[in-house]
Each structure stands twice: as C-alpha cells, then as structure tokens.
C-alpha cells in the first residue's frame, strides 16, 4: 500500500493563528486539493494527522471539527479526491497527552489502525513538530513553505536537519509522483 501522511492546517488549508473554528474558516490552499486527488489517482492513500488543541481550549466542539472535516471531504470529492482517514489530537499542551505532535502518538495510531509501518512513508507538514513526529517513527519528513513553513525553514537551519523543502503541497506531491532523487 502506498501511503502519504499530511498535516492539515498550513498544508491542506490556510492556517490561522486564531484557529480554524468553523467550516467557513476552512479555506483550501490553492492547488492542495488537486494535489491530493493526483495522489489518489496514483493509488496513494492519504491520511491526515492534525493537532486540534482548539477543542481542549474550548474554541470549537468535536461536532464542529467534524463539520469542518465534512467540508474538506466534500470539496475534495468535487475534484475526485479523497482522504482515507483523519487522526486528530484534541488536547492542549498542558494535557501532556501522547498524541500531540511532536509526540508520535497519532502516527502510531495510524500504524495500528491501518496495520502498516510508517517507516519511509512521506509525512508532509509545515511545522517543526510535524517533522519531529515523522522522524520519531522513521517516516520521511517533507516541509512545505505554506502555513508556518517559512518560519520552520529558519528553525531547520539551526538544527541542520536534512529535510526536503517544497513551495507547497502541490509541489511536494509532484516531486513524490516523479520519484525525485531529493526524496
Ligand atoms: Mg500545520
Ligand atoms: Zn493528544
């Protein structure tokens, strides 16, 4: 099975420091949904792993989060794409849960539920914590410069980590499908 793990905010949709609290605030990044559909056509399963601490912070309910994801699924379906599953952490940093990235709990959950290893599986994110969670399970972290990506790229310089960087999800997916040497 071919698989790609995606962060949500700042990768699929525009990020907001005020959180995405309603379906109306969920705005896809240009080209991201088309990129997911391209992955699907190339027989990739696409799974999302996302921190959603806005739930624990009381900014939105689980029901609202589900409605946001329904909007995402519908928008994607119109383009012939689909996301197989969404794994989210609803906790706040103070909860010290095992699933809030950079912890690898969400990724372990994916491994268990799908019955696969994420070793070498591309995991695309815009934050350092996405890349760290990916590294913790031996996945292949890829950075996109949308969302918090530019800030993250500067942090990466400090850590000297060798992570492939792409303009956005569309560019990362193109590289993936072309089997670029960089990957
Ligand atoms: Mg993000
Ligand atoms: Zn959690």
């Amino acid at each position: 099975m071919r698989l790609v793990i995606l962060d949500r905010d700042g990768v699929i949709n525009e990020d907001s420091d005020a959180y995405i609290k309603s379906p109306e605030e969920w705005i896809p990044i240009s080209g991201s949904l088309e990129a997911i559909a391209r992955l699907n056509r190339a027989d990739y399963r696409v799974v999302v792993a996302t921190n959603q601490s806005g739930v624990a912070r009381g900014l939105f309910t689980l029901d609202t989060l589900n409605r946001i994801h329904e909007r995402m699924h519908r928008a994607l379906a119109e383009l012939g794409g689909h996301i197989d599953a969404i794994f989210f952490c609803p906790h706040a940093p103070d909860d010290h849960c095992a699933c809030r990235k950079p912890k690898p709990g969400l990724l372990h959950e994916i491994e268990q539920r799908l019955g696969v290893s994420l070793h070498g599986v591309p995991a695309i994110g815009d934050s350092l914590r996405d890349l760290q969670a990916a590294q913790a399970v031996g996945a292949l972290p890829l950075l996109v410069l949308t969302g918090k990506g530019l800030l993250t790229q500067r942090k990466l310089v400090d850590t000297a980590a060798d992570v492939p960087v792409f303009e956005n999800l569309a560019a990362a997916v193109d590289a993936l499908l072309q089997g670029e040497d960089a990957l």
Side-chain angles (χ1 to χ4, degrees):
M1 175 179 60
R2 303 213 279 178
L3 179 65
V4 176
I5 310 294
L6 302 182
D7 177 45
R8 197 195 80 179
D9 301 331
V11 175
I12 301 174
N13 56 276
E14 303 286 356
D15 198 9
S16 169
D17 289 337
Y19 297 83
I20 309 301
K21 304 177 295 301
S22 69
E24 293 70 33
E25 291 171 351
W26 186 88
I27 310 291
I29 292 171
S30 178
S32 67
L33 299 182
E34 291 85 351
I36 293 171
R38 283 202 296 284
L39 284 171
N40 295 148
R41 283 197 295 274
D43 284 330
Y44 275 92
R45 290 171 75 175
V46 177
V47 172
V48 168
T50 175
N51 285 353
Q52 293 298 326
S53 67
V55 175
R57 296 175 206 269
L59 296 171
F60 50 88
T61 63
L62 282 178
D63 180 61
T64 300
L65 184 61
N66 284 332
R67 288 194 297 116
I68 292 169
H69 289 161
E70 276 167 28
R71 177 179 170 123
M72 178 165 74
H73 285 307
R74 269 202 308 275
L76 195 46
E78 283 174 18
L79 298 168
H82 67 274
I83 286 166
D84 279 88
I86 299 172
F87 293 78
F88 62 88
C89 164
H91 307 111
D94 292 350
D95 292 337
H96 302 295
C97 66
C99 47
R100 181 173 164 81
K101 294 180 283 184
K103 298 245 184 77
L106 285 182
L107 299 183
H108 285 314
E109 210 179 316
I110 292 171
E111 290 187 312
Q112 281 163 17
R113 292 264 291 276
L114 272 62
V116 296
S117 163
L118 293 189
H119 193 89
V121 168
I124 304 176
D126 68 311
S127 295
L128 202 52
R129 60 180 60 147
D130 302 321
L131 311 178
Q132 291 165 332
Q135 278 159 348
V137 300
L140 178 68
L142 307 179
L143 176 66
V144 289
L145 295 178
T146 47
K148 297 185 173 67
L150 278 172
L151 282 170
T152 303
Q153 190 179 33
R154 276 182 234 147
K155 292 181 195 165
L156 272 183
V157 171
D158 299 334
T159 63
D162 189 19
V163 174
V165 179
F166 299 95
E167 196 64 34
N168 50 33
L169 181 59
V173 165
D174 285 345
L176 205 58
L177 296 180
Q178 287 163 19
E180 264 197 9
D181 292 340
L183 305 178

